[in-house]
Structures are given as C-alpha cells and as structure tokens.
Amino acid sequence: MKAVTRALTTLGFLLVTTRAVTVNETASTYTFANDRLSFNVVKKNGYIQNLLFDGISVLGTLSGSAGQLYTDFPSNGFALTGSSAAEIVQGNDYAGIVLTDNDTTSGSLVQRSWFLRDGETGLHSFVRLAYHNSTVPSKGALGEVRTMFRPNGGPWTTLVTNAEQWAPIPGAAAIAKEVQVQDATWYLGLTPDDAYVQQESDYWTKYTFADNQTNKAHGLYGQAADGTPVGAWWVVNQKDTFFGGPFHVDLMVDGIIYNKQSTSHGGATSPNITNGFDRTVGPQFLYLNRAPNASLHDLLADAERFADPAWNAAFYDEIASHVPGYVPSSSRGSFSAQVKIPQGAKDVVAILSANGVHFQDSAADPTAYQYWVTDVHNGIVNIDRIKAGTYRLTVSASGIFGDYVQDNIVIKPRKNTHVRATWVPESAGTELWRIGVPDKSSGEFKNGLERDTTHPRQPSKYRIYWGAWDFPTDFPGGVNFTVGESVESRDWNYVHWSQYGPTYTRNNTVTDINRWTINFHIDALTARRLTSHSVATFTIQLAAAKTTAGNTDADQGAFPSFPINTYVNDQADPLSWTIQPYESSSCGERSAISCHLLTNKFQFPGTWLTAGSNRFVLELPHAAPVYVQYDALRLELR
C-alpha cells in the first residue's frame, strides 16, 4: 500500500487522504467519505452501514441484517470467517478496501472489494471466491451468491425493475393483513386502499420484480425529507463474470436491491466448486442519484448511462492490482461478425459464451466468461472488451426455430477477431403449421405478456401470482386449439399445467387438464405427399419445464422426471420425450415466461397423418405437480 497520512481526528485515525476521499478508523469501523457520500465498513464482518448520500440516510436504521449493504451465501458454498482482514488502498482520486476472509481449515477464501472515487456518488463492487483443498477436492455447486442493498426505512417508496416494471412498495397495513398463498407470495386484497393494491395487484411476490440479464439498472425510488426525488441503483455495468446468458431470469428488487453473482433461480446452472476454483465477479456499481422534480424514469435513465463495459475501464485497470482475478484491458480483445440472417428474423441477439456448450449452461466451465449484443441489425455484430480465450458464438432471433452456433471463436489480447457466416435456418421439409413464436419465451400466449387491465399499472399477467388467473375457468378440460382458427393469445395458455390448485380463490385441485389437443387440417394437395417414403417432424421448443426437482437438479419428489407424450391421431403409442431433473426449472409459478430452455424433435411416418382432419394430443402425467411452458411448436413434412 502507498504511504498513508495518519492524524488524530474526532473519528479516530485519518488513514487515507486522496484529494476529497478520506478514510478514518475507529476501534470497530472504517469510514470512507467524499464530498457527497460516506459510509462505515464494520471491521468484524465487512458489512457497510450508515451510508449517507448528500446527508440522506439511504440504508435507514440497523435492525438485524437490515439497514446494511453486504454479501452473503444462502447456499453455504462459502462463508465469512467473522474476522475479515482489511487492506486499505488508495490512488490519486480514490480509496478502497479489500476484505479477505481466508478459512484455512476448509481452503475457502472470500474477498470483497469496495472502491469510492472523488466526484462519484456510488461504490464499485467486486467479489472473489476461491477454493484450494486437495484433500477435499470438491464441495459441490456454488449455488446462490448475492450482494444486497438492504435498507430498513429510508426515503424509499417504489420498487423499480426497469422502465416498464415498477410499483409502490406495499404499506405496513397491507403487510399486517397479508395472507400467504405460496412461498414469498401474499394476498394483499384485504387492504384495498393500499397504493400497491390499487395500482399493481392484489398479490405481492418478489418474483413480480424479476428480470433477465439484459437489465441495465434496477433499484429503489423515493423522496428525501425536503421532497427531492432520490434513487438507489445496482448498475450492471459488466456482466461477463456472470453465468447463464442474456435470457437468464433472476430477482432484482423486492425492498432489497439484489446483485446476484450466482444463482439457481429459473433452473440456472451454477459452477461446481473444485480444488483450484478461483473467480472474481464484477465490477458492478451501486449508484445513488437525486434531482429536483426528477421522475422515476429520469433517475433510472441516469443510472443506465453507466451500464457500459467501457465506462470507467481506465479506473478498473488502475485498481486491477488490488483486485485479483479482474481482467485488465491489456488481456482483452474484440469480436466482429457479418452474419447473413434468415428472412423473418426479428430481435437478433449474438452471444459469446463457453465453448462447446449451450450458452445457458456456461457454468459447466467455471472459468467461462460471457458477452452479448441484443440489438443486431443487418447481421452486423460488434462486441468489445472480451477476455482472451475460446468461445462459442450463438446467434438467436425471434421467429426462427433453432440458433446459429459456431464453436472455437478465438479472442486474442488487443486484437479483433472477425467472422463471416451464413445462418441457414433449421428445416425438416415443408412447414405445415406452427403455434407460437420461437423466441425462447411463452409470453405470446394467454396470461403471459397480456396486460392486467384491472389495475392502473397494467402489469404483464405472468408477473403476477399464477393463481390469479384461474386456468380451469379459462380452459375447462384443458386447451383445445384448432390451427388456422384459434388464436395463441386467447386460446393457448402460457403454462400447460398437469394439475391446478389449490389457490387463494380455489380450494380444490383440478386434474382433468393434463391433456391438450391440437386440431389441424391437411388439404388434398398435401395429402398426396403422405406416402410410405414421407417423414413428418414435430418440433417442441420449451421455455421451461418443471419437475419435482424444482431448481435443484436433484432426483427428488414423486416426479423428478416425467414424459411429455404426443399422440398422433389414432396411434396407440405416443411420441415420448422425458424431462430430466437437471432440465427442471420453477418458472411459471415464480412469475417467469423463460427459464431453462429445451427442445426436441420427433420424426414419424407421414402416413400417420391423413387428408382432412388430424389431431395431436399433448399429455402430461395425470395429477402430477409438474408443468411445461411452450415456446413454439411446428409440424413439417418431407
């Protein structure tokens, strides 16, 4: 550490003065401050308390774990020792602290780093996790790791996931009369005058405020004592050290603002912790802002300006020596591509992820990094600041079945790698029909992205507790869909339940809904092709499937795996696809329309089809606590 200035102050010892950034030490805390921001770091555990922004107490009062900013490990993959070693670091315009918990008995190391710069109203955060133990070379999956801004009081009135999804925080009276209907889910309709109930929903769940990894910033909005609007935001300025890809969904805010470094939510894969594991996650930026007469959207847009990997890159390079595992600019390159995109493709996304595996399973390689662009136009892809290494390129688009995939994309430091490619879309012959839009989501179906017009905020229905939309009432006996006549947004539900209920408004369990029917007509011209040489291909793309394994991958419960059976006309034996425990994700019941993505293609003789009326029956096990969410389905003939 560079030389520090020591002088007795009213707080204790002045350890560091770096222009307008100071660090003071007492027997129990370190206090960091610039001209607008100050906070205490508790020596015992490294938690941050008493965070003041322009004199506003944004964390509120301490109560248990609330009123603090801290990292924890709900899956117990790692833990703090209770005696963190602290290193104070400094530069020309910053000061920081590196907190190390080194558990020598287990070989586990946790390192948390916070940096405060002159002129900024935010904290830069890194978390490093390492495991070195040759005697016990594996300690299982990492599971959940999160850094939380967890206020107790303060100026906050509104939860903000993104520019579209936000709502008032439920009031104390509503919470006092809440009725639990599911884990982390409550009915608040007994307090109809509550602002949340009036504007958003009769049901409250933290899952309502989830988002995927394209999220730029999320947080809390409120008013200071003088009425000035104020915001607190986790800005996700670098996502390359996360896992799961752009479509992975996780919690954002529920009164706590979450920065999820690792998780199993939505069936996500987390890395296995084995001897030699060493990963640094970050940086992310906890940003505070305020402005007279600023709207929620004004303050959110201000925060989103920093959601750029190039922002503050020079600063991160400067502090890299203090953050083991952070990859500086000198070890990064860039990627460009010109991809010929299939006709009809929309919302094109290009992803670089772990070589050789699906981007959603990138945690299979615990050293993997990930990058993407979500606004590809005319097939032109540009991604900067990529860690040197070997990657898989995936190009995905709404409206196109399957993806373009190319392995062994090599990125070299300070070099650009360029690729020219043609995406030839999947085809198994002439398309006879499709249901849904292949976009890795079940949102286009009824109760998905459809708006709840009974509340002024009009949230998408999938965000609200699933029991609010009574499936047996909407679809007695299950879905009966006729191609060419039925409409996906009205006649096909966003979840195919095997059983439904009980819910807050329904006491019984309905079980006659596990079989869904697709009716379709084959014209005389097509029927001529139904010869002994013809082959039909039925594709099912799933946005999610939930077994009794939930999000755990474990062989547990009565249905850790289950078949999806498709009966074709009068064929006695179905086409069968078995969903495995490691493919399971709790999705629709956790207010999501896209989780662990799955696909399967059935081929069968074209002679199973006939001129005129035809029927497929999609069957889940009867009376089982399982479900699937269809992305899209297609029938082709060759």
Side-chain angles (χ1 to χ4, degrees):
M1 187 174 72
K2 298 179 181 180
V4 296
T5 301
R6 291 184 177 271
L8 188 63
T9 71
T10 57
L11 288 176
F13 288 100
L14 177 64
L15 294 182
V16 178
T17 302
T18 61
R19 295 184 180 176
V21 181
T22 61
V23 184
N24 293 276
E25 181 181 8
T26 68
S28 59
T29 63
Y30 300 98
T31 299
F32 289 72
N34 64 17
D35 59 344
R36 298 188 64 187
L37 208 64
S38 67
F39 58 91
N40 296 339
V41 180
V42 179
K43 287 183 175 181
K44 180 179 179 180
N45 56 18
Y47 286 18
I48 289 177
Q49 301 174 355
N50 300 321
L51 178 55
L52 300 179
F53 166 50
D54 288 343
I56 304 166
S57 176
V58 293
L59 282 171
T61 58
L62 182 65
S63 177
S65 294
Q68 301 184 97
L69 171 61
Y70 63 97
T71 301
D72 74 352
F73 312 91
S75 302
N76 299 316
F78 286 85
L80 303 180
T81 62
S83 56
S84 304
E87 178 191 11
I88 305 297
V89 299
Q90 65 172 356
N92 290 330
D93 65 348
Y94 73 86
I97 186 168
V98 180
L99 298 144
T100 301
D101 288 79
N102 189 6
D103 184 354
T104 57
T105 60
S106 71
S108 298
L109 180 142
V110 176
Q111 207 163 58
R112 296 158 293 158
S113 303
W114 297 96
F115 293 88
L116 177 64
R117 299 191 73 188
D118 183 15
E120 291 184 352
T121 58
L123 288 77
H124 302 267
S125 170
F126 299 83
V127 175
R128 178 190 174 203
L129 304 172
Y131 181 70
H132 297 278
N133 188 332
S134 58
T135 304
V136 184
S138 176
K139 61 185 303 184
L142 175 58
E144 187 170 4
V145 179
R146 60 192 184 181
T147 301
M148 299 185 291
F149 178 92
R150 187 174 185 176
N152 180 47
W156 313 117
T157 61
T158 308
L159 309 169
V160 185
T161 299
N162 51 44
E164 178 184 285
Q165 179 57 33
W166 53 272
I169 298 172
I175 293 171
K177 293 186 177 181
E178 67 190 10
V179 179
Q180 188 163 12
V181 296
Q182 181 181 269
D183 68 289
T185 307
W186 293 268
Y187 177 71
L188 303 183
L190 299 179
T191 50
D193 293 333
D194 180 78
Y196 176 89
V197 174
Q198 288 190 336
Q199 296 185 39
E200 181 77 358
S201 175
D202 291 350
Y203 296 93
W204 189 92
T205 174
K206 61 185 179 181
Y207 304 113
T208 293
F209 298 93
D211 202 357
N212 64 33
Q213 287 197 78
T214 64
N215 184 279
K216 294 182 177 180
H218 53 277
L220 296 167
Y221 172 83
Q223 288 78 36
D226 64 359
T228 302
V230 59
W233 316 98
W234 267 121
V235 178
V236 195
N237 50 320
Q238 295 202 27
K239 306 172 185 180
D240 57 355
T241 53
F242 294 161
F243 294 105
F247 305 108
H248 166 60
V249 173
D250 213 330
L251 304 179
M252 296 287 137
V253 59
D254 61 2
I256 301 169
I257 316 175
Y258 295 97
N259 177 21
K260 291 292 192 77
Q261 289 94 356
S262 177
T263 183
S264 62
H265 283 140
T269 303
S270 66
N272 286 322
I273 306 168
T274 58
N275 182 35
F277 178 88
D278 197 330
R279 189 169 185 88
T280 297
V281 183
Q284 280 83 51
F285 186 53
L286 179 69
Y287 179 56
L288 300 161
N289 59 359
R290 69 188 187 103
N293 304 314
S295 69
L296 174 158
H297 291 91
D298 292 335
L299 295 186
L300 174 60
D302 176 50
E304 289 180 337
R305 292 183 302 124
F306 305 119
D308 179 352
W311 176 71
N312 253 331
F315 169 63
Y316 296 135
D317 286 345
E318 182 179 355
I319 64 174
S321 61
H322 303 299
V323 186
Y326 174 72
V327 180
S329 299
S330 60
S331 297
R332 296 176 182 261
S334 60
F335 174 78
S336 61
Q338 176 67 66
V339 182
K340 186 175 181 181
I341 303 297
Q343 185 176 1
K346 299 179 180 179
D347 304 320
V348 181
V349 178
I351 306 163
L352 290 177
S353 59
N355 199 43
V357 298
H358 195 289
F359 62 80
Q360 70 181 347
D361 298 320
S362 59
D365 178 357
T367 67
Y369 279 53
Q370 60 174 16
Y371 305 88
W372 60 79
V373 286
T374 59
D375 55 351
V376 175
H377 298 288
N378 302 316
I380 298 172
V381 178
N382 288 289
I383 305 176
D384 202 3
R385 297 191 57 75
I386 304 168
K387 179 188 177 185
T390 303
Y391 294 86
R392 164 176 285 191
L393 168 65
T394 303
V395 184
S396 176
S398 173
I400 306 299
F401 281 83
D403 301 322
Y404 174 81
V405 174
Q406 181 176 338
D407 281 319
N408 301 315
I409 303 295
V410 177
I411 305 297
K412 297 180 179 180
R414 300 186 183 276
K415 302 290 185 181
N416 180 71
T417 298
H418 184 73
V419 168
R420 289 184 177 273
T422 298
W423 179 3
V424 179
E426 295 179 358
S427 176
T430 302
E431 180 175 310
L432 302 186
W433 52 259
R434 66 172 61 187
I435 296 173
V437 177
D439 61 357
K440 299 177 171 54
S441 158
S442 64
E444 67 268 35
F445 301 122
K446 184 173 179 62
N447 297 321
L449 291 168
E450 178 187 359
R451 298 292 185 170
D452 174 16
T453 57
T454 65
H455 290 78
R457 288 286 311 120
Q458 297 191 15
S460 291
K461 286 188 173 182
Y462 81 88
R463 288 189 172 277
I464 307 305
Y465 166 58
W466 56 271
W469 324 119
D470 194 66
F471 178 82
T473 299
D474 289 340
F475 298 97
V479 164
N480 194 326
F481 188 93
T482 300
V483 174
E485 297 179 10
S486 301
V487 178
E488 285 99 331
S489 61
R490 180 191 66 206
D491 302 316
W492 190 279
N493 198 52
Y494 79 122
V495 181
H496 181 173
W497 305 101
S498 169
Q499 63 181 25
Y500 186 92
T503 66
Y504 181 75
T505 58
R506 175 181 287 276
N507 294 324
N508 64 321
T509 300
V510 180
T511 60
D512 65 345
I513 55 174
N514 62 307
R515 292 168 60 89
W516 287 16
T517 302
I518 302 172
N519 308 291
F520 59 97
H521 182 84
I522 290 182
D523 60 44
L525 183 61
T526 302
R528 295 177 187 173
R529 300 172 53 198
L530 301 177
T531 68
S532 60
H533 299 292
S534 63
V535 177
T537 301
F538 180 44
T539 300
I540 301 177
Q541 289 189 179
L542 294 179
K546 188 260 183 181
T547 80
T548 52
N551 290 327
T552 68
D553 293 352
D555 189 354
Q556 64 182 25
F559 292 87
S561 61
F562 70 86
I564 304 174
N565 291 328
T566 301
Y567 290 88
V568 179
N569 288 326
D570 295 326
Q571 293 296 317
D573 296 324
L575 307 170
S576 190
W577 173 20
T578 299
I579 305 299
Q580 302 295 339
Y582 57 83
E583 297 175 316
S584 175
S585 55
S586 298
C587 197
E589 62 189 331
R590 298 292 183 267
S591 301
I593 50 175
S594 179
C595 293
H596 191 79
L597 308 170
L598 301 168
T599 187
N600 195 64
K601 297 180 185 298
F602 298 108
Q603 289 192 330
F604 59 91
T607 53
W608 288 12
L609 303 173
T610 185
S613 298
N614 290 262
R615 181 182 70 253
F616 283 2
V617 175
L618 306 180
E619 179 189 68
L620 302 183
H622 180 257
V626 302
Y627 60 82
V628 299
Q629 293 173 251
Y630 299 103
D631 170 18
L633 308 95
R634 175 166 71 167
L635 179 63
E636 298 167 284
L637 180 67
R638 173 171 287 141

